[in-house]
mmCIF file of all heavy atoms in Angstrom:
data_model
loop_
_atom_site.group_PDB
_atom_site.id
_atom_site.type_symbol
_atom_site.label_atom_id
_atom_site.label_comp_id
_atom_site.label_asym_id
_atom_site.label_seq_id
_atom_site.Cartn_x
_atom_site.Cartn_y
_atom_site.Cartn_z
ATOM 1 N N TRP A 16 -134.424 -92.995 -90.591
ATOM 2 C CA TRP A 16 -133.489 -91.868 -90.546
ATOM 3 C C TRP A 16 -133.896 -90.831 -89.519
ATOM 4 O O TRP A 16 -133.108 -90.389 -88.715
ATOM 5 C CB TRP A 16 -133.313 -91.256 -91.941
ATOM 6 C CG TRP A 16 -132.288 -90.167 -91.953
ATOM 7 C CD1 TRP A 16 -130.964 -90.294 -92.023
ATOM 8 C CD2 TRP A 16 -132.560 -88.775 -91.887
ATOM 9 N NE1 TRP A 16 -130.348 -89.069 -91.964
ATOM 10 C CE2 TRP A 16 -131.309 -88.091 -91.892
ATOM 11 C CE3 TRP A 16 -133.716 -88.016 -91.775
ATOM 12 C CZ2 TRP A 16 -131.201 -86.716 -91.860
ATOM 13 C CZ3 TRP A 16 -133.594 -86.604 -91.714
ATOM 14 C CH2 TRP A 16 -132.349 -86.009 -91.760
ATOM 15 N N ARG A 17 -135.196 -90.481 -89.534
ATOM 16 C CA ARG A 17 -135.688 -89.481 -88.577
ATOM 17 C C ARG A 17 -135.599 -90.036 -87.148
ATOM 18 O O ARG A 17 -135.283 -89.312 -86.227
ATOM 19 C CB ARG A 17 -137.107 -89.083 -88.913
ATOM 20 C CG ARG A 17 -137.186 -88.244 -90.213
ATOM 21 C CD ARG A 17 -138.616 -87.924 -90.610
ATOM 22 N NE ARG A 17 -139.273 -87.085 -89.655
ATOM 23 C CZ ARG A 17 -139.318 -85.758 -89.712
ATOM 24 N NH1 ARG A 17 -138.710 -85.119 -90.674
ATOM 25 N NH2 ARG A 17 -139.977 -85.085 -88.779
ATOM 26 N N CYS A 18 -135.883 -91.314 -86.986
ATOM 27 C CA CYS A 18 -135.722 -91.955 -85.649
ATOM 28 C C CYS A 18 -134.276 -91.792 -85.173
ATOM 29 O O CYS A 18 -134.063 -91.419 -84.000
ATOM 30 C CB CYS A 18 -136.064 -93.441 -85.683
ATOM 31 S SG CYS A 18 -137.789 -93.803 -85.701
ATOM 32 N N ASN A 19 -133.338 -92.056 -86.036
ATOM 33 C CA ASN A 19 -131.929 -91.904 -85.653
ATOM 34 C C ASN A 19 -131.604 -90.484 -85.281
ATOM 35 O O ASN A 19 -130.845 -90.262 -84.337
ATOM 36 C CB ASN A 19 -131.007 -92.403 -86.774
ATOM 37 C CG ASN A 19 -131.046 -93.904 -86.941
ATOM 38 O OD1 ASN A 19 -131.386 -94.632 -86.031
ATOM 39 N ND2 ASN A 19 -130.717 -94.375 -88.134
ATOM 40 N N CYS A 20 -132.149 -89.485 -85.983
ATOM 41 C CA CYS A 20 -131.922 -88.108 -85.681
ATOM 42 C C CYS A 20 -132.462 -87.736 -84.290
ATOM 43 O O CYS A 20 -131.784 -87.116 -83.471
ATOM 44 C CB CYS A 20 -132.554 -87.202 -86.720
ATOM 45 S SG CYS A 20 -131.789 -87.270 -88.360
ATOM 46 N N TYR A 21 -133.730 -88.163 -84.030
ATOM 47 C CA TYR A 21 -134.302 -87.872 -82.717
ATOM 48 C C TYR A 21 -133.565 -88.594 -81.593
ATOM 49 O O TYR A 21 -133.378 -88.053 -80.488
ATOM 50 C CB TYR A 21 -135.802 -88.197 -82.689
ATOM 51 C CG TYR A 21 -136.615 -87.231 -83.468
ATOM 52 C CD1 TYR A 21 -137.382 -87.637 -84.575
ATOM 53 C CD2 TYR A 21 -136.661 -85.885 -83.109
ATOM 54 C CE1 TYR A 21 -138.150 -86.734 -85.274
ATOM 55 C CE2 TYR A 21 -137.412 -84.981 -83.832
ATOM 56 C CZ TYR A 21 -138.168 -85.376 -84.903
ATOM 57 O OH TYR A 21 -138.938 -84.489 -85.586
ATOM 58 N N ARG A 22 -133.138 -89.807 -81.846
ATOM 59 C CA ARG A 22 -132.368 -90.559 -80.831
ATOM 60 C C ARG A 22 -131.074 -89.851 -80.527
ATOM 61 O O ARG A 22 -130.698 -89.683 -79.347
ATOM 62 C CB ARG A 22 -132.114 -91.983 -81.305
ATOM 63 C CG ARG A 22 -131.387 -92.845 -80.276
ATOM 64 C CD ARG A 22 -131.164 -94.288 -80.755
ATOM 65 N NE ARG A 22 -132.461 -94.948 -80.966
ATOM 66 C CZ ARG A 22 -132.971 -95.266 -82.171
ATOM 67 N NH1 ARG A 22 -132.335 -94.994 -83.279
ATOM 68 N NH2 ARG A 22 -134.131 -95.869 -82.234
ATOM 69 N N LEU A 23 -130.347 -89.446 -81.557
ATOM 70 C CA LEU A 23 -129.091 -88.755 -81.359
ATOM 71 C C LEU A 23 -129.300 -87.411 -80.642
ATOM 72 O O LEU A 23 -128.528 -87.042 -79.743
ATOM 73 C CB LEU A 23 -128.396 -88.511 -82.703
ATOM 74 C CG LEU A 23 -127.046 -87.796 -82.656
ATOM 75 C CD1 LEU A 23 -126.027 -88.605 -81.838
ATOM 76 C CD2 LEU A 23 -126.551 -87.622 -84.104
ATOM 77 N N LEU A 24 -130.331 -86.707 -81.019
ATOM 78 C CA LEU A 24 -130.643 -85.438 -80.373
ATOM 79 C C LEU A 24 -130.932 -85.605 -78.896
ATOM 80 O O LEU A 24 -130.391 -84.900 -78.040
ATOM 81 C CB LEU A 24 -131.849 -84.754 -81.060
ATOM 82 C CG LEU A 24 -132.278 -83.437 -80.489
ATOM 83 C CD1 LEU A 24 -131.152 -82.376 -80.647
ATOM 84 C CD2 LEU A 24 -133.528 -82.925 -81.213
ATOM 85 N N ALA A 25 -131.767 -86.594 -78.560
ATOM 86 C CA ALA A 25 -132.103 -86.845 -77.147
ATOM 87 C C ALA A 25 -130.858 -87.225 -76.367
ATOM 88 O O ALA A 25 -130.665 -86.749 -75.252
ATOM 89 C CB ALA A 25 -133.174 -87.938 -77.034
ATOM 90 N N THR A 26 -130.022 -88.045 -76.942
ATOM 91 C CA THR A 26 -128.794 -88.496 -76.269
ATOM 92 C C THR A 26 -127.860 -87.340 -76.034
ATOM 93 O O THR A 26 -127.313 -87.171 -74.972
ATOM 94 C CB THR A 26 -128.114 -89.604 -77.095
ATOM 95 O OG1 THR A 26 -128.980 -90.714 -77.244
ATOM 96 C CG2 THR A 26 -126.816 -90.068 -76.467
ATOM 97 N N ASN A 27 -127.663 -86.504 -77.069
ATOM 98 C CA ASN A 27 -126.752 -85.360 -76.918
ATOM 99 C C ASN A 27 -127.255 -84.359 -75.952
ATOM 100 O O ASN A 27 -126.520 -83.812 -75.160
ATOM 101 C CB ASN A 27 -126.495 -84.743 -78.297
ATOM 102 C CG ASN A 27 -125.566 -85.580 -79.147
ATOM 103 O OD1 ASN A 27 -124.941 -86.501 -78.684
ATOM 104 N ND2 ASN A 27 -125.515 -85.244 -80.425
ATOM 105 N N LEU A 28 -128.589 -84.084 -76.001
ATOM 106 C CA LEU A 28 -129.166 -83.121 -75.047
ATOM 107 C C LEU A 28 -128.996 -83.631 -73.605
ATOM 108 O O LEU A 28 -128.717 -82.828 -72.677
ATOM 109 C CB LEU A 28 -130.614 -82.823 -75.384
ATOM 110 C CG LEU A 28 -130.861 -82.002 -76.609
ATOM 111 C CD1 LEU A 28 -132.347 -81.943 -76.926
ATOM 112 C CD2 LEU A 28 -130.314 -80.593 -76.468
ATOM 113 N N ALA A 29 -129.172 -84.909 -73.392
ATOM 114 C CA ALA A 29 -129.028 -85.478 -72.049
ATOM 115 C C ALA A 29 -127.576 -85.291 -71.619
ATOM 116 O O ALA A 29 -127.328 -84.988 -70.430
ATOM 117 C CB ALA A 29 -129.393 -86.943 -72.013
ATOM 118 N N ALA A 30 -126.609 -85.480 -72.509
ATOM 119 C CA ALA A 30 -125.219 -85.298 -72.172
ATOM 120 C C ALA A 30 -124.893 -83.824 -71.837
ATOM 121 O O ALA A 30 -124.204 -83.530 -70.868
ATOM 122 C CB ALA A 30 -124.310 -85.796 -73.280
ATOM 123 N N TYR A 31 -125.456 -82.896 -72.614
ATOM 124 C CA TYR A 31 -125.279 -81.468 -72.366
ATOM 125 C C TYR A 31 -125.840 -81.121 -70.990
ATOM 126 O O TYR A 31 -125.214 -80.419 -70.219
ATOM 127 C CB TYR A 31 -126.009 -80.598 -73.382
ATOM 128 C CG TYR A 31 -125.500 -80.731 -74.791
ATOM 129 C CD1 TYR A 31 -126.363 -80.698 -75.867
ATOM 130 C CD2 TYR A 31 -124.132 -80.894 -75.094
ATOM 131 C CE1 TYR A 31 -125.904 -80.809 -77.188
ATOM 132 C CE2 TYR A 31 -123.686 -80.996 -76.386
ATOM 133 C CZ TYR A 31 -124.585 -80.969 -77.437
ATOM 134 O OH TYR A 31 -124.134 -81.061 -78.729
ATOM 135 N N LYS A 32 -127.044 -81.638 -70.704
ATOM 136 C CA LYS A 32 -127.669 -81.324 -69.437
ATOM 137 C C LYS A 32 -126.838 -81.844 -68.250
ATOM 138 O O LYS A 32 -126.610 -81.133 -67.277
ATOM 139 C CB LYS A 32 -129.095 -81.948 -69.394
ATOM 140 C CG LYS A 32 -129.811 -81.731 -68.078
ATOM 141 C CD LYS A 32 -131.152 -82.438 -68.094
ATOM 142 C CE LYS A 32 -131.673 -82.547 -66.683
ATOM 143 N NZ LYS A 32 -132.747 -83.500 -66.567
ATOM 144 N N LYS A 33 -126.359 -83.085 -68.380
ATOM 145 C CA LYS A 33 -125.517 -83.657 -67.326
ATOM 146 C C LYS A 33 -124.243 -82.846 -67.115
ATOM 147 O O LYS A 33 -123.887 -82.513 -65.964
ATOM 148 C CB LYS A 33 -125.189 -85.105 -67.669
ATOM 149 C CG LYS A 33 -124.364 -85.824 -66.630
ATOM 150 C CD LYS A 33 -124.133 -87.294 -67.032
ATOM 151 C CE LYS A 33 -123.536 -88.078 -65.906
ATOM 152 N NZ LYS A 33 -122.158 -88.222 -65.911
ATOM 153 N N SER A 34 -123.594 -82.446 -68.199
ATOM 154 C CA SER A 34 -122.380 -81.686 -68.094
ATOM 155 C C SER A 34 -122.654 -80.288 -67.527
ATOM 156 O O SER A 34 -121.874 -79.766 -66.725
ATOM 157 C CB SER A 34 -121.743 -81.508 -69.463
ATOM 158 O OG SER A 34 -121.267 -82.738 -69.930
ATOM 159 N N LEU A 35 -123.798 -79.692 -67.883
ATOM 160 C CA LEU A 35 -124.189 -78.404 -67.354
ATOM 161 C C LEU A 35 -124.361 -78.470 -65.843
ATOM 162 O O LEU A 35 -123.789 -77.689 -65.085
ATOM 163 C CB LEU A 35 -125.473 -77.950 -68.000
ATOM 164 C CG LEU A 35 -126.117 -76.677 -67.424
ATOM 165 C CD1 LEU A 35 -125.297 -75.454 -67.779
ATOM 166 C CD2 LEU A 35 -127.557 -76.530 -67.891
ATOM 167 N N VAL A 36 -125.127 -79.465 -65.394
ATOM 168 C CA VAL A 36 -125.442 -79.613 -63.960
ATOM 169 C C VAL A 36 -124.170 -79.915 -63.184
ATOM 170 O O VAL A 36 -124.018 -79.460 -62.046
ATOM 171 C CB VAL A 36 -126.503 -80.670 -63.756
ATOM 172 C CG1 VAL A 36 -126.707 -80.997 -62.295
ATOM 173 C CG2 VAL A 36 -127.829 -80.187 -64.352
ATOM 174 N N GLU A 37 -123.236 -80.668 -63.805
ATOM 175 C CA GLU A 37 -121.975 -80.966 -63.124
ATOM 176 C C GLU A 37 -120.934 -79.872 -63.221
ATOM 177 O O GLU A 37 -119.843 -80.028 -62.678
ATOM 178 C CB GLU A 37 -121.412 -82.275 -63.720
ATOM 179 C CG GLU A 37 -122.260 -83.487 -63.389
ATOM 180 C CD GLU A 37 -121.815 -84.754 -64.113
ATOM 181 O OE1 GLU A 37 -120.882 -84.682 -64.960
ATOM 182 O OE2 GLU A 37 -122.348 -85.823 -63.797
ATOM 183 N N GLY A 38 -121.270 -78.783 -63.927
ATOM 184 C CA GLY A 38 -120.324 -77.653 -64.026
ATOM 185 C C GLY A 38 -119.216 -77.829 -65.023
ATOM 186 O O GLY A 38 -118.188 -77.153 -64.963
ATOM 187 N N ARG A 39 -119.380 -78.757 -65.971
ATOM 188 C CA ARG A 39 -118.318 -79.013 -66.910
ATOM 189 C C ARG A 39 -118.490 -78.295 -68.262
ATOM 190 O O ARG A 39 -117.615 -78.419 -69.128
ATOM 191 C CB ARG A 39 -118.241 -80.543 -67.186
ATOM 192 C CG ARG A 39 -117.770 -81.301 -65.949
ATOM 193 C CD ARG A 39 -117.594 -82.802 -66.196
ATOM 194 N NE ARG A 39 -118.852 -83.444 -66.454
ATOM 195 C CZ ARG A 39 -119.111 -84.268 -67.467
ATOM 196 N NH1 ARG A 39 -118.148 -84.577 -68.311
ATOM 197 N NH2 ARG A 39 -120.289 -84.807 -67.600
ATOM 198 N N LEU A 40 -119.509 -77.521 -68.416
ATOM 199 C CA LEU A 40 -119.758 -76.815 -69.698
ATOM 200 C C LEU A 40 -119.267 -75.370 -69.645
ATOM 201 O O LEU A 40 -119.278 -74.704 -70.673
ATOM 202 C CB LEU A 40 -121.234 -76.804 -70.008
ATOM 203 C CG LEU A 40 -121.828 -78.045 -70.647
ATOM 204 C CD1 LEU A 40 -123.270 -77.795 -71.062
ATOM 205 C CD2 LEU A 40 -121.027 -78.463 -71.868
ATOM 206 N N GLY A 41 -118.873 -74.890 -68.539
ATOM 207 C CA GLY A 41 -118.557 -73.502 -68.411
ATOM 208 C C GLY A 41 -119.803 -72.730 -68.054
ATOM 209 O O GLY A 41 -120.934 -73.288 -68.064
ATOM 210 N N ALA A 42 -119.638 -71.493 -67.728
ATOM 211 C CA ALA A 42 -120.775 -70.666 -67.269
ATOM 212 C C ALA A 42 -121.703 -70.307 -68.432
ATOM 213 O O ALA A 42 -121.233 -70.038 -69.546
ATOM 214 C CB ALA A 42 -120.274 -69.407 -66.595
ATOM 215 N N PRO A 43 -123.013 -70.301 -68.161
ATOM 216 C CA PRO A 43 -123.929 -69.797 -69.187
ATOM 217 C C PRO A 43 -123.627 -68.335 -69.503
ATOM 218 O O PRO A 43 -123.118 -67.580 -68.687
ATOM 219 C CB PRO A 43 -125.299 -69.891 -68.486
ATOM 220 C CG PRO A 43 -125.109 -70.953 -67.418
ATOM 221 C CD PRO A 43 -123.688 -70.782 -66.969
ATOM 222 N N GLY A 44 -123.954 -67.950 -70.725
ATOM 223 C CA GLY A 44 -123.724 -66.565 -71.123
ATOM 224 C C GLY A 44 -122.408 -66.364 -71.825
ATOM 225 O O GLY A 44 -122.027 -65.211 -72.108
ATOM 226 N N GLY A 45 -121.705 -67.423 -72.128
ATOM 227 C CA GLY A 45 -120.419 -67.296 -72.768
ATOM 228 C C GLY A 45 -120.479 -67.085 -74.288
ATOM 229 O O GLY A 45 -119.446 -66.913 -74.941
ATOM 230 N N GLY A 46 -121.663 -67.096 -74.857
ATOM 231 C CA GLY A 46 -121.827 -66.817 -76.271
ATOM 232 C C GLY A 46 -121.747 -68.026 -77.149
ATOM 233 O O GLY A 46 -121.926 -67.932 -78.359
ATOM 234 N N ALA A 47 -121.476 -69.204 -76.585
ATOM 235 C CA ALA A 47 -121.402 -70.438 -77.394
ATOM 236 C C ALA A 47 -122.643 -71.277 -77.118
ATOM 237 O O ALA A 47 -123.068 -71.411 -76.001
ATOM 238 C CB ALA A 47 -120.138 -71.225 -77.062
ATOM 239 N N GLY A 48 -123.180 -71.842 -78.187
ATOM 240 C CA GLY A 48 -124.286 -72.780 -78.042
ATOM 241 C C GLY A 48 -123.756 -74.222 -78.028
ATOM 242 O O GLY A 48 -122.574 -74.438 -77.896
ATOM 243 N N TRP A 49 -124.675 -75.151 -78.188
ATOM 244 C CA TRP A 49 -124.321 -76.554 -78.156
ATOM 245 C C TRP A 49 -124.243 -77.162 -79.543
ATOM 246 O O TRP A 49 -123.782 -78.249 -79.711
ATOM 247 C CB TRP A 49 -125.334 -77.340 -77.336
ATOM 248 C CG TRP A 49 -125.484 -76.925 -75.910
ATOM 249 C CD1 TRP A 49 -124.503 -76.408 -75.126
ATOM 250 C CD2 TRP A 49 -126.643 -77.006 -75.127
ATOM 251 N NE1 TRP A 49 -125.014 -76.158 -73.887
ATOM 252 C CE2 TRP A 49 -126.318 -76.505 -73.848
ATOM 253 C CE3 TRP A 49 -127.961 -77.406 -75.363
ATOM 254 C CZ2 TRP A 49 -127.221 -76.458 -72.802
ATOM 255 C CZ3 TRP A 49 -128.858 -77.347 -74.331
ATOM 256 C CH2 TRP A 49 -128.506 -76.841 -73.057
ATOM 257 N N GLY A 50 -124.818 -76.480 -80.507
ATOM 258 C CA GLY A 50 -124.863 -77.026 -81.884
ATOM 259 C C GLY A 50 -126.128 -77.845 -82.160
ATOM 260 O O GLY A 50 -126.289 -78.327 -83.269
ATOM 261 N N ALA A 51 -126.973 -78.003 -81.167
ATOM 262 C CA ALA A 51 -128.175 -78.818 -81.353
ATOM 263 C C ALA A 51 -129.132 -78.142 -82.348
ATOM 264 O O ALA A 51 -129.718 -78.837 -83.186
ATOM 265 C CB ALA A 51 -128.866 -79.062 -80.021
ATOM 266 N N GLY A 52 -129.277 -76.867 -82.243
ATOM 267 C CA GLY A 52 -130.165 -76.172 -83.183
ATOM 268 C C GLY A 52 -129.650 -76.258 -84.608
ATOM 269 O O GLY A 52 -130.392 -76.450 -85.565
ATOM 270 N N LYS A 53 -128.341 -76.161 -84.764
ATOM 271 C CA LYS A 53 -127.722 -76.288 -86.099
ATOM 272 C C LYS A 53 -127.926 -77.688 -86.653
ATOM 273 O O LYS A 53 -128.229 -77.868 -87.809
ATOM 274 C CB LYS A 53 -126.238 -75.979 -85.999
ATOM 275 C CG LYS A 53 -125.434 -76.285 -87.262
ATOM 276 C CD LYS A 53 -124.855 -75.086 -87.867
ATOM 277 C CE LYS A 53 -123.962 -75.340 -89.036
ATOM 278 N NZ LYS A 53 -124.487 -76.085 -90.172
ATOM 279 N N ALA A 54 -127.778 -78.678 -85.782
ATOM 280 C CA ALA A 54 -128.002 -80.049 -86.228
ATOM 281 C C ALA A 54 -129.425 -80.249 -86.766
ATOM 282 O O ALA A 54 -129.664 -80.829 -87.789
ATOM 283 C CB ALA A 54 -127.693 -81.052 -85.103
ATOM 284 N N LEU A 55 -130.390 -79.722 -86.001
ATOM 285 C CA LEU A 55 -131.780 -79.837 -86.427
ATOM 286 C C LEU A 55 -131.971 -79.177 -87.794
ATOM 287 O O LEU A 55 -132.672 -79.721 -88.666
ATOM 288 C CB LEU A 55 -132.720 -79.182 -85.426
ATOM 289 C CG LEU A 55 -133.097 -80.012 -84.216
ATOM 290 C CD1 LEU A 55 -133.847 -79.174 -83.195
ATOM 291 C CD2 LEU A 55 -133.901 -81.238 -84.593
ATOM 292 N N SER A 56 -131.378 -78.019 -87.975
ATOM 293 C CA SER A 56 -131.464 -77.326 -89.268
ATOM 294 C C SER A 56 -130.831 -78.135 -90.382
ATOM 295 O O SER A 56 -131.398 -78.301 -91.457
ATOM 296 C CB SER A 56 -130.795 -75.979 -89.134
ATOM 297 O OG SER A 56 -130.796 -75.308 -90.360
ATOM 298 N N ASP A 57 -129.626 -78.637 -90.090
ATOM 299 C CA ASP A 57 -128.911 -79.477 -91.096
ATOM 300 C C ASP A 57 -129.691 -80.731 -91.464
ATOM 301 O O ASP A 57 -129.678 -81.164 -92.607
ATOM 302 C CB ASP A 57 -127.524 -79.859 -90.601
ATOM 303 C CG ASP A 57 -126.561 -78.670 -90.547
ATOM 304 O OD1 ASP A 57 -126.890 -77.582 -91.051
ATOM 305 O OD2 ASP A 57 -125.473 -78.840 -89.962
ATOM 306 N N TRP A 58 -130.340 -81.339 -90.485
ATOM 307 C CA TRP A 58 -131.095 -82.576 -90.742
ATOM 308 C C TRP A 58 -132.382 -82.285 -91.468
ATOM 309 O O TRP A 58 -132.978 -83.207 -92.014
ATOM 310 C CB TRP A 58 -131.413 -83.281 -89.425
ATOM 311 C CG TRP A 58 -130.204 -83.820 -88.702
ATOM 312 C CD1 TRP A 58 -129.003 -84.164 -89.260
ATOM 313 C CD2 TRP A 58 -130.092 -84.087 -87.301
ATOM 314 N NE1 TRP A 58 -128.163 -84.623 -88.288
ATOM 315 C CE2 TRP A 58 -128.797 -84.592 -87.089
ATOM 316 C CE3 TRP A 58 -130.949 -83.942 -86.231
ATOM 317 C CZ2 TRP A 58 -128.333 -84.955 -85.835
ATOM 318 C CZ3 TRP A 58 -130.524 -84.312 -84.960
ATOM 319 C CH2 TRP A 58 -129.214 -84.819 -84.781
#
């Protein structure tokens, strides 16, 4: 179960990073996070 959590986290973070670099996430400082911290807390 923990392996699955870490795998999902790594995959999602890589997608966020790619979208950020490609300019598809919007500008930083908009007040919205990615939800990754919440997922870690929930897990």
Side-chain angles (χ1 to χ4, degrees):
W16 182 80
R17 290 176 65 92
C18 282
N19 289 336
C20 292
Y21 286 120
R22 183 178 295 109
L23 181 60
L24 181 62
T26 300
N27 286 346
L28 288 172
Y31 296 142
K32 179 183 164 195
K33 182 176 190 264
S34 293
L35 172 72
V36 171
E37 292 174 353
R39 295 184 291 133
L40 281 185
W49 300 328
K53 170 116 175 57
L55 278 172
S56 176
D57 289 350
W58 293 335

